[in-house]
Structure formats: C-alpha cells, structure tokens
Amino acid sequence: VPLRVGGLHYCFNDPKFRPILSLLAMGFPKKIKSRIRVHCGAHQEVHYSLMSYGLPIEHFPVTATGDWKKTYASKWYEYRTHKDSNNKYKDAVYAPPRNAILLGRGKSRQKHPGNLEFHDYVSQYYDEYNAAKRLVKNAVAQKIVNSISCQVYIKDDNDMWIPVPKDNKLLLE
C-alpha cells in the first residue's frame, strides 16, 4: 500500500484516551509528531474540528454509526495508485482546498466556496468588461487571471483534480 504521511488525526470520544495518545505521540520522530492532531468529543464535534483542517467529512471512510464506507476507501486507494504511478498526477489532489477555483459545470462547482469568492471578485470588473471593445476585453480577462492568488483545478476523466497553470487558455474562456 503506497503511504505518505500528510497528517495523523486521532479521533475519539472518551477523554481518558488523551494522555495515552500523548504518550504514544512522544515515540514518533519530530517530523511526524508535528503532523499529529488529537480530536476528542462527540461525533459531530470531531467532524467540525476535522473540517477546520480542510478535511471533507463526506469522504471519511467511516459513518457516524461506525460502519465502513467501502466505496470511498477503494476510491481513495485507486486515487493514490494513480497519483503515485503517473507523473501527470504528481500535483493532483483528491479534494481541492476550500479557497480553490474549480473549472467545470454544475451546482457543485458553482457552490464551491472558492468559486463563490471568485465570482464576487469578477463582478467588480463587469462594467469595465462590458464597456470595452473586443480587443480590450481580452486584456481585462487577462488582468483578472493574473490577479488570481489561489490554485485553479479541473477534474479529469479519472476523477483527479489537476492544477491548471495560469498561462492555460482555459482560464480566458
């Protein structure tokens, strides 16, 4: 199984486990220890705590009742296998960050927080764009693209979110 430690999140609902986990964490190397987070509380509290780290709870492999969601676990394994075996996917992500701009159609893209924020930003340029002549419209669009500070992603056929470089023509369409 390909494994790269991005972070370890221990989740539990009994406060008695906190000292035990703290002792266990002391045995990890410093590099991994800095990536360990402990979450204690009711199921919903732990979900909110994990969401603050940008982890989408709908992708967790376990339900609130403790049942395993095998579809997400197998999908994640397939994703990791693709990512580790193909250089095209080295910068791909399974779940884009909340501030990312997602290219594509549909409500999920429209309602994504990064797209909503970007839509508000672009609305500042509506009057300038509509008043401009055809050749100047490209310059206005290029100015907007150049001012993007977050990453832009597009989903490919393998359900991988691929970063789109700022010089890509897709951003100007």
Side-chain angles (χ1 to χ4, degrees):
V1 176
L3 183 65
R4 180 184 60 84
V5 177
L8 295 171
H9 292 265
Y10 290 106
C11 307
F12 54 94
N13 60 2
D14 190 352
K16 293 178 204 163
F17 287 116
R18 188 177 290 275
I20 295 168
L21 288 173
S22 297
L23 286 172
L24 286 174
M26 292 172 72
F28 285 106
K30 188 176 183 179
K31 187 174 182 179
I32 293 178
K33 198 183 309 184
S34 65
R35 297 171 183 251
I36 296 175
R37 298 291 179 262
V38 177
H39 308 280
C40 179
H43 187 77
Q44 196 68 27
E45 292 172 2
V46 169
H47 272 188
Y48 286 133
S49 177
L50 290 168
M51 285 182 354
S52 72
Y53 286 93
L55 300 172
I57 59 172
E58 63 272 7
H59 294 281
F60 288 176
V62 180
T63 64
T65 59
D67 298 328
W68 282 93
K69 297 187 227 175
K70 293 180 178 75
T71 55
Y72 282 122
S74 61
K75 196 171 182 179
W76 177 85
Y77 180 76
E78 186 179 317
Y79 158 76
R80 285 306 310 178
T81 306
H82 263 57
K83 186 171 170 83
D84 292 342
S85 65
N86 191 336
N87 201 30
K88 172 187 172 186
Y89 297 118
K90 75 177 176 105
D91 295 326
V93 295
Y94 183 63
R98 294 179 59 82
N99 69 336
I101 298 169
L102 308 182
L103 299 181
R105 296 181 173 176
K107 289 264 190 219
S108 62
R109 308 294 193 324
Q110 291 174 1
K111 300 287 184 191
H112 189 271
N115 286 19
L116 292 172
E117 189 175 318
F118 183 63
H119 181 76
D120 289 342
Y121 176 73
V122 169
S123 67
Q124 300 170 16
Y125 292 92
Y126 281 161
D127 294 335
E128 180 183 350
Y129 184 82
N130 289 331
K133 297 213 183 301
R134 187 172 183 202
L135 294 174
V136 180
K137 287 186 178 193
N138 274 348
V140 174
Q142 189 64 53
K143 181 168 67 170
I144 293 170
V145 168
N146 290 340
S147 66
I148 296 173
S149 61
C150 61
Q151 184 62 56
V152 179
Y153 291 95
I154 189 165
K155 200 171 202 176
D156 79 342
D157 297 335
N158 293 320
D159 283 343
M160 305 280 274
W161 288 100
I162 311 289
V164 178
K166 287 198 179 185
D167 60 351
N168 195 309
K169 288 185 214 174
L170 280 173
L171 297 178
L172 293 175
E173 292 178 358

